[in-house]
Amino acid sequence: MVEIDLKRVDEIIEHYKGEEGVLIQLLLDIQSEFNWISKEAITQISERMQIPKSQIYRITSFYEAMSLEPVGRHIIQVCLGTACQVRGAPKILDRIEGDLKIKGGETTPDMRFSLKRVNCLGCCAMGPVIVVDGIYHGKITPAMVEGILETYE
């Protein structure tokens, strides 16, 4: 399991100590720092900020931008909406899964990539589409996947 530096978590918490209504931003800062929010970090936030763990878990599980599991340095989203589906998105997904040896929802053992299947990215004319770290790659073919992934360390 990927460890989180609890001393650094304390520093982030200290930045918000005494302020009201900062929980979401605090969690986003921890997510940004570590790419996930661990149980230990939640316990620390709960104790230091006097916020029930249940409230923290409710927020972290609601927002897509937060993860309770370690994620890779690079997030790949594969659109499987109707327009992308009919233009070959399943083949793109198969290629990525094969190249990285993971399935949708998983992370590579080296923590380089996490793969997500999404229902629609809202850019149907560009389909099939994948998004890596917020960068859209449209009208891709399975043959283009390797070249795209190679650009991410």
Side-chain angles (χ1 to χ4, degrees):
M1 186 56 72
V2 177
E3 296 289 323
I4 283 188
D5 178 0
L6 294 177
K7 184 177 180 196
R8 180 66 184 125
V9 171
D10 261 341
E11 292 170 3
I12 295 169
I13 292 169
E14 194 60 37
H15 179 76
Y16 292 100
K17 199 81 165 132
E19 294 183 40
E20 293 291 318
V22 297
L23 181 57
I24 293 173
Q25 188 57 54
L26 168 63
L27 291 167
L28 286 170
D29 286 356
I30 291 172
Q31 176 72 39
S32 175
E33 181 82 16
F34 302 106
N35 278 347
W36 73 298
I37 302 168
S38 70
K39 291 177 185 176
E40 296 80 11
I42 289 174
T43 298
Q44 206 156 333
I45 294 165
S46 175
E47 291 171 359
R48 298 267 325 273
M49 301 291 285
Q50 300 295 300
I51 298 170
K53 284 184 187 179
S54 60
Q55 182 179 350
I56 299 169
Y57 277 108
R58 221 178 8 256
I59 290 170
T60 55
S61 62
F62 177 78
Y63 288 101
E64 183 77 23
M66 297 177 199
S67 175
L68 293 169
E69 298 291 327
V71 294
R73 294 184 306 279
H74 305 289
I75 309 296
I76 304 167
Q77 297 175 310
V78 179
C79 183
L80 295 171
T82 304
C84 287
Q85 188 82 245
V86 300
R87 293 182 179 136
K91 290 179 182 174
I92 304 298
L93 180 63
D94 289 345
R95 177 65 188 261
I96 294 170
E97 289 177 339
D99 286 359
L100 299 179
K101 297 176 180 41
I102 60 172
K103 296 288 183 193
E106 295 179 346
T107 298
T108 57
D110 63 1
M111 302 303 292
R112 183 175 172 202
F113 292 108
S114 287
L115 179 59
K116 293 183 176 185
R117 303 163 59 123
V118 295
N119 291 329
C120 185
L121 290 167
C123 49
C124 303
M126 292 173 53
V129 174
I130 66 170
V131 177
V132 184
D133 297 344
I135 298 171
Y136 286 70
H137 302 272
K139 298 188 180 195
I140 65 169
T141 65
M144 296 167 67
V145 167
E146 184 179 356
I148 292 170
L149 298 182
E150 282 177 352
T151 64
Y152 297 89
E153 57 68 42

